[in-house]
Amino acid sequence: MAEAIHIQRVTLYLKNGTNLIVDLKAEDPQKVDPQITALGKVLAAPEAQEKVFMFQGQRGFWIRIKEIVAFDAVSLILTPAEKEKAKAE
């Protein structure tokens, strides 16, 4: 059986109607990723509206805080499909 992959998927809802999805590899699936916690703190601070937030991972990107309307985070477990066993049998 293939090994399960734990990720935390963050969806950013932007003012222009676009939704960005960021998948973060979960080091510990029972804990919220520190980047998600940091994003929540930055969004809660009114003085942070002119700042940018950087997501770090395989591919880093920056987003302006004032463009984010809302966000949500979901923990997922991905299980890769088995290669075609029927052909081997």
Side-chain angles (χ1 to χ4, degrees):
M1 180 173 203
E3 188 174 324
I5 301 168
H6 296 273
I7 65 168
Q8 293 179 356
R9 176 168 286 172
V10 179
T11 305
L12 301 170
Y13 302 95
L14 306 181
K15 287 182 180 177
N16 67 3
T18 304
N19 299 336
L20 293 176
I21 297 174
V22 181
D23 290 335
L24 303 170
K25 187 174 180 182
E27 298 298 325
D28 181 359
Q30 302 302 319
K31 293 183 181 178
V32 176
D33 188 282
Q35 293 183 77
I36 298 170
T37 304
L39 177 63
K41 288 179 182 177
V42 169
L43 287 172
E47 66 277 359
Q49 291 300 305
E50 295 302 319
K51 294 183 178 182
V52 294
F53 186 82
M54 180 182 176
F55 279 98
Q56 298 173 344
Q58 276 187 314
R59 181 182 66 122
F61 73 93
W62 293 264
I63 186 161
R64 287 186 185 98
I65 295 299
K66 66 181 178 180
E67 298 299 321
I68 301 172
V69 175
F71 82 98
D72 63 22
V74 179
S75 292
L76 301 172
I77 301 172
L78 304 178
T79 52
E82 295 282 334
K83 297 285 181 180
E84 298 178 32
K85 286 172 127 179
K87 284 187 178 180
E89 295 175 354

